[in-house]
Amino acid sequence: TSLCGPMGGIAVDASQQAEAKRVGLPMLADARGKDFAWMLAKLHHRYTRRQLCLLQPGQPNLRDEAVAAGALTTLDRPGGGYRHALSLMQPGGIVFGWGVSEYNSVMMASRYALRVVCSDWASNIPVLSSGHTGLAYMYAPAAPHPAPAYEPGHRYLSFIISDGDNLQWAIGGFCSDPDLWGPPARGRIPFGWSLPLIDLMQTNPYEITWLQAHAHPDDELLQFGLGYFFLDDYGQTRGGPAALTSLLRTERPYLA
């Protein structure tokens, strides 16, 4: 998958080799028995340094985005290239996909000043992000509800559902799940929905438009952070506190 984008190819399993040859596809590289170091040498730095893909071998989803982005595809297991690839990425970039160990994969990304976007089962991102995206998408958040006047002796509660770092969940079952956005009871009480809105602005802004159109007055969309990373460890291996300052400065237009 890592070779496909930079080399302009498609991944073909050995069992499909005869069929690929029959339809006129030349072999650009034979990856059988090769390791991560061989792949890097083959690519000659022809890969993006802003996105890194983290996937398990059996997962087909998200590979279209990895190829479209020209991203290295890695695995957080010995020999999978993940730690090495992290050191090659630009600080402030993203790791999209998901690892074998949530804690270890996010911790390593954080220390190298990268953020994780949980998206290993996300589909069709190259198509969904082919229109106006990012800051070109005119996202107009609804005016927040005014805070109630403070009354001594009263307790105030906020009802919020989290897991808002999860892009695949947001563009997958979130909208239709009867236990989430889908039930008829939604809208009866004020409720906050934590979502990766900045990620959606860049990958699937149509969903934000749809959510706004179908929201009740008491539904509030809440931005989940700036990706999934451990704040105290961000830039610990590379960049230090300046890496976090740089990230906040870069993301300021989105946060506004």
Side-chain angles (χ1 to χ4, degrees):
T1 302
S2 299
L3 294 168
C4 289
M7 298 187 70
I10 62 173
V12 175
D13 184 75
S15 65
Q16 302 168 307
Q17 186 174 353
E19 177 64 13
K21 184 176 181 180
R22 188 188 69 79
V23 298
L25 293 175
M27 181 184 288
L28 302 178
D30 187 348
R32 288 173 288 192
K34 304 300 194 298
D35 59 11
F36 191 76
W38 171 87
M39 183 192 73
L40 289 179
K42 190 78 174 174
L43 289 174
H44 299 295
H45 306 293
R46 292 182 296 161
Y47 48 83
T48 180
R49 296 181 182 271
R50 297 183 62 82
Q51 289 179 248
L52 177 65
C53 189
L54 182 61
L55 281 178
Q56 298 189 54
Q59 291 182 280
N61 298 58
L62 197 65
R63 294 185 186 273
D64 52 352
E65 169 63 12
V67 173
L72 296 179
T73 301
T74 61
L75 179 66
D76 57 338
R77 284 178 177 167
Y82 181 52
R83 184 184 293 274
H84 187 176
L86 286 171
S87 69
L88 301 174
M89 297 296 109
Q90 292 181 6
I94 64 168
V95 176
F96 62 112
W98 197 243
V100 175
S101 165
E102 175 176 351
Y103 177 80
N104 291 334
S105 60
V106 176
M107 175 62 79
M108 280 195 284
S110 302
R111 289 176 174 172
Y112 280 93
L114 294 164
R115 302 161 288 160
V116 177
V117 175
C118 181
S119 52
D120 55 328
W121 290 109
S123 299
N124 298 326
I125 288 180
V127 175
L128 295 171
S129 61
S130 61
H132 292 291
T133 58
L135 294 174
Y137 167 73
M138 299 303 294
Y139 170 49
H145 295 291
Y150 174 71
E151 299 179 49
H154 287 67
R155 292 178 173 84
Y156 297 89
L157 301 176
S158 292
F159 294 97
I160 297 171
I161 189 163
S162 183
D163 209 27
D165 64 310
N166 198 319
L167 179 65
Q168 62 192 7
W169 175 69
I171 65 176
F174 169 78
C175 293
S176 58
D177 193 319
D179 293 325
L180 297 169
W181 187 266
R186 180 175 56 81
R188 293 183 183 176
I189 63 169
F191 206 91
W193 302 94
S194 174
L195 288 165
L197 294 171
I198 292 177
D199 299 332
L200 285 172
M201 286 173 69
Q202 297 175 79
T203 57
N204 186 11
Y206 315 105
E207 175 162 348
I208 300 178
T209 302
W210 188 90
L211 288 170
Q212 288 179 312
H214 291 82
H216 293 285
D218 280 333
D219 287 325
E220 192 149 7
L221 305 181
L222 307 172
Q223 164 62 21
F224 177 96
L226 295 172
Y228 183 7
F229 62 92
F230 299 137
L231 188 66
D232 293 343
D233 298 283
Y234 191 82
Q236 192 177 91
T237 298
R238 181 185 59 177
L244 183 58
T245 300
S246 177
L247 173 65
L248 294 172
R249 185 180 297 115
T250 301
E251 298 294 328
R252 179 180 289 172
Y254 284 99
L255 291 173

